[in-house]
Amino acid sequence: MRPGLRRNPLPALAAALGLAAFYALAASATPGRALGAFFLGPFSSAYSFLSLLDQASPLLLCALGAAVAFRSGAFNLGGEGQAALGALSAALVLGAGGRAGLAGGAAPLFLLALALLAAAAAGALLALLSALGERLAGAEVLLTSFLLSQAAVIGVDWAVAGPLRDPASNLLAMPALPRELLLPRVAPPAPLNAGVFVSLALCLAAAFLLGRTRAGYELDLRGESPAFARAQRLSPSLSVWPLALSGGLHGLAGALLVAGAAGRAVKGMTGGIGWNGISVALVAGANPLAALPASVFFAWLDAGARSASILADLSPDASAVMKAAVLFLVTADLRLLAPRRRGNAAREAPADAAPAADAADPAAAADPAAAADPAAKGGAR
Amino acid sequence: MSPERLGAFLASSLEAGAPIATAALGGLLTEAAGSLSVALEGSMLAGAFAAAVVAKATGSATLAFAAALLAGLLLALLVGTSALRLGSDVFVAGLAANLLAPGAASLVSEALFGTKGVVAAPALGGSGHVLGLDPSFFVLLGASALVVVLYSATPLGLRLRAAGEPGEAARAAGLRPERLRLAAHLVAGGASGLAGAALAAQVSAFVPGMSSGRGWIALVAIYLGGRRPGGVAAASLAFGALIALSNAAQAFRGAPAELLLGLPYAATALALVLARAAARRRAARAGGPA
């Protein structure tokens, strides 16, 4: 992972909350009420808090997927399509099981496992295409993953709202799945379901993989320096399996959406979860364990905006702007602001403006202060 | 194919390709300056929205295009400030811009019109066709020409390219790479804003998500065009033809219209892989590093 991507995320998070407060004060006719609804609404009852966690659970999976790709040195921008394909696959498996009358005994558990597997496989397959495109032809993953994902989203939307649509429903959606085939709820009627245990288990597993295994160590080596990894003859599959794993995690997230509160595949149901996963992974510095609180934070922004739109007069879309603000600042080095004079002086003096180690990294090249300061790289780890 | 249908197909290819070309040529400047902007997509959407809102409010297409230019510039300024002043990763800042544009558009739309859906702006289009093409095409043609001249025939263009060279040569020559990169980002943002306005003008409305990945296709066009203005424009027009083709195919009875919309993206990915593979083979034959 490029060193410039790891920075202290707290200023970015504080800025998002500041923006939220400013928006509530500026745009609402009842600012006090809006503020309360935004910040405290999601925690006002067990039900709303469990809904927030229900939103965070698939987001955490996407963040883990994005983090694995980051650590291996790749940008997987196809999370959206991988999640959509996963959602469709899960809906197809569960739907077929439901029609076959497999709703009793141990069958639901088996079917659910099968649906999660199918979803992970579908997401992994889509990401694998990009990985192979890079490995065999040198086509940039960050472009092909986005393009294939865009095609997949369009294809899934077409299928869900077209040939697979439930004709009896007004929704652009596939038929509702039988209740017995959905992930069981942890504390009915709150929407949080057993999928959260899948997310938590995979969060621990990813932390173990990246932090405690040889494969994770090699993956980090490649992420820090692909050339070094090549010189060390590290397994060439390092450019392939981390991306497939990333796609699989996104696919699983799609399955959680279908087999969770929605209970069916709905057109456009991924709703930006792939992009949010990238933001969460960046906030977490691609650390799986840090992705847990980071995904809850992002879910809080969404839940807060929703709550402020119901209990007060704000727009539920406001959270999109706050999330963008986080992304604008999350890799910023705010120390560049403080010693502004010295920074400029250093820039003028060629001796001080140490050439950035990696000329292909424009951010690092634009940032002589950080390049000259070894603590900036080491400290962010 | 009858001559009229061929003409119509060519016209729709040019109309679909021009916004991609304009954005891609702007993006080429950032690539050349060593700080590729991935915010083309967001700038396009911001431009489309600003154009529709201003056209609706003032009834003037000229003001609408000016507003689109401004919106693209503003977003680029945000990306440039974040990346070059605050040391953010320029790629991440670009992603942020791509998230900000649709979010802000829907917020503003809801505040102004009480809806976050389509913003109809009859004044933006509907002034008839010139040579069978939407007038917005010629705006983009002019903008693209300006960007190409700026890039290849002015001292600023030369300095931009110097700023993108590895090492300290540009700095040693007394240039300020950060400023040059910011300038490149601004040009890219403005060009993409205008491209977005043309998208809106073609349908006389802003539709949420209407840039739908064209800014990303423009990035691919930069690479496929070999980082040369002529190549970039040609690659963009090829993608335009692809989009026109998938639009035309929807007219056939029984064709899954919505599914065909995905075709240009899959084909673009395929084109990138094939072009990279061919380049690799050429390099291998030439005895260079694969």
Side-chain angles (χ1 to χ4, degrees):
Chain A
M1 177 167 180
R2 302 212 290 257
L5 292 181
R6 276 209 188 89
R7 296 231 203 259
N8 176 9
L10 293 180
L13 303 186
L17 295 182
L19 201 60
F22 172 78
Y23 172 62
L25 294 174
S28 175
T30 54
R33 194 181 165 80
L35 268 179
F38 189 97
F39 286 102
L40 303 176
F43 306 102
S44 60
S45 68
Y47 182 92
S48 29
F49 182 59
L50 293 178
S51 317
L52 182 154
L53 293 185
D54 183 52
Q55 304 274 318
S57 157
L59 181 57
L60 174 58
L61 287 180
C62 290
L64 295 175
V68 169
F70 277 147
R71 296 273 286 257
S72 80
F75 259 105
N76 174 10
L77 296 188
E80 204 66 25
Q82 290 148 15
L85 266 192
L88 177 66
S89 312
L92 286 174
V93 169
L94 294 175
R99 277 194 303 282
L102 295 176
L109 214 61
F110 170 74
L111 264 179
L112 269 172
L114 194 65
L116 295 188
L117 271 181
L125 217 61
L126 190 64
L128 197 60
L129 287 180
S130 296
L132 291 178
E134 165 124 65
R135 174 121 176 67
L136 302 178
E140 292 82 351
V141 164
L142 77 90
L143 291 174
T144 56
S145 63
F146 170 79
L147 291 166
L148 291 176
S149 154
Q150 183 83 355
V153 166
I154 291 173
V156 169
D157 278 350
W158 165 77
V160 167
L164 300 177
R165 184 180 168 191
D166 176 9
S169 161
N170 290 326
L171 290 173
L172 292 172
M174 284 168 64
L177 297 163
R179 241 199 135 67
E180 309 76 56
L181 293 183
L182 301 182
L183 289 160
R185 298 195 171 196
V186 173
L192 186 70
N193 58 60
V196 73
F197 300 118
V198 176
S199 302
L200 287 174
L202 285 169
C203 179
L204 293 175
F208 180 78
L209 170 77
L210 292 174
R212 294 266 180 274
T213 66
R214 188 187 166 90
Y217 178 68
E218 291 185 349
L219 185 144
D220 268 338
L221 274 186
R222 181 181 184 273
E224 301 284 345
S225 167
F228 177 73
R230 258 198 308 280
Q232 293 295 309
R233 304 241 161 80
L234 290 180
S235 160
S237 65
L238 275 175
S239 62
V240 176
W241 70 257
L243 262 178
L245 180 59
S246 172
L249 287 163
H250 283 99
L252 262 185
L256 292 200
L257 293 174
V258 163
R264 65 196 329 176
V266 185
K267 185 181 177 186
M269 69 187 307
T270 51
I273 197 170
W275 298 109
N276 288 332
I278 290 175
S279 307
V280 172
L282 284 169
V283 167
N287 176 340
L289 294 180
L292 181 62
S295 61
V296 171
F297 180 87
F298 268 66
W300 177 28
L301 290 182
D302 275 337
R306 223 176 8 255
S307 153
S309 75
I310 297 168
L311 301 174
D313 51 355
L314 296 183
S315 163
D317 298 325
S319 59
V321 176
M322 294 158 205
K323 289 189 276 189
V326 172
L327 208 47
F328 266 122
L329 292 173
V330 71
T331 62
D333 183 2
L334 297 183
R335 284 169 307 175
L336 285 178
L337 278 184
R340 188 168 173 159
R341 274 236 174 85
R342 271 194 312 148
N344 277 343
R347 218 163 271 167
E348 242 86 69
D352 285 1
D358 182 3
D361 181 351
D367 182 357
D373 172 13
K377 283 178 185 176
R381 284 300 308 262
Chain B
M1 203 186 269
S2 70
E4 300 90 70
R5 296 206 27 208
L6 185 65
F9 175 71
L10 280 179
S12 73
S13 298
L14 287 174
E15 282 173 4
I20 297 175
T22 309
L25 288 168
L28 173 65
L29 265 62
T30 63
E31 163 72 16
S35 167
L36 177 67
S37 168
V38 292
L40 306 179
E41 174 79 9
S43 299
M44 259 185 171
L45 194 74
F49 180 69
V53 169
V54 169
K56 192 180 163 100
T58 66
S60 156
T62 313
L63 284 180
F65 272 84
L69 182 72
L70 200 64
L73 284 174
L74 275 178
L75 204 58
L77 191 64
L78 219 52
V79 174
T81 308
S82 173
L84 304 169
R85 181 72 240 154
L86 299 180
S88 287
D89 187 88
V90 67
F91 184 80
V92 173
L95 289 186
N98 293 344
L99 290 186
L100 177 62
S106 114
L107 266 188
V108 173
S109 175
E110 207 178 349
L112 291 180
F113 312 118
T115 158
K116 47 190 178 185
V118 174
V119 179
L124 196 49
S127 44
H129 279 50
V130 185
L131 300 173
L133 290 161
D134 193 274
S136 65
F137 173 82
F138 299 97
V139 178
L140 294 191
L141 195 63
S144 300
L146 272 180
V147 172
V148 172
V149 168
L150 175 73
Y151 177 73
S152 22
T154 66
L156 179 62
L158 189 65
R159 286 182 196 142
L160 280 179
R161 280 175 277 162
E165 292 296 321
E168 290 295 303
R171 223 184 283 277
L175 299 177
R176 312 268 298 263
E178 285 80 21
R179 296 215 169 166
L180 290 166
R181 289 188 184 126
L182 181 61
H185 275 273
L186 290 176
V187 173
S192 304
L194 288 177
L199 285 181
Q202 286 167 13
V203 294
S204 303
F206 169 78
V207 184
M210 74 186 307
S211 53
S212 65
R214 281 172 171 80
W216 291 95
I217 292 186
L219 290 180
V220 179
I222 296 175
Y223 289 115
L224 287 188
R227 297 181 170 89
R228 283 185 305 274
V232 172
S236 305
L237 292 179
F239 289 131
L242 212 57
I243 292 174
L245 197 67
S246 78
N247 286 339
Q250 294 176 41
F252 289 112
R253 204 208 301 256
E258 284 198 54
L259 184 59
L260 286 169
L261 289 177
L263 194 69
Y265 305 99
T268 304
L270 187 65
L272 184 65
V273 170
L274 292 180
R276 285 287 190 246
R280 198 174 255 199
R281 262 201 311 278
R282 268 200 307 277
R285 258 207 304 276

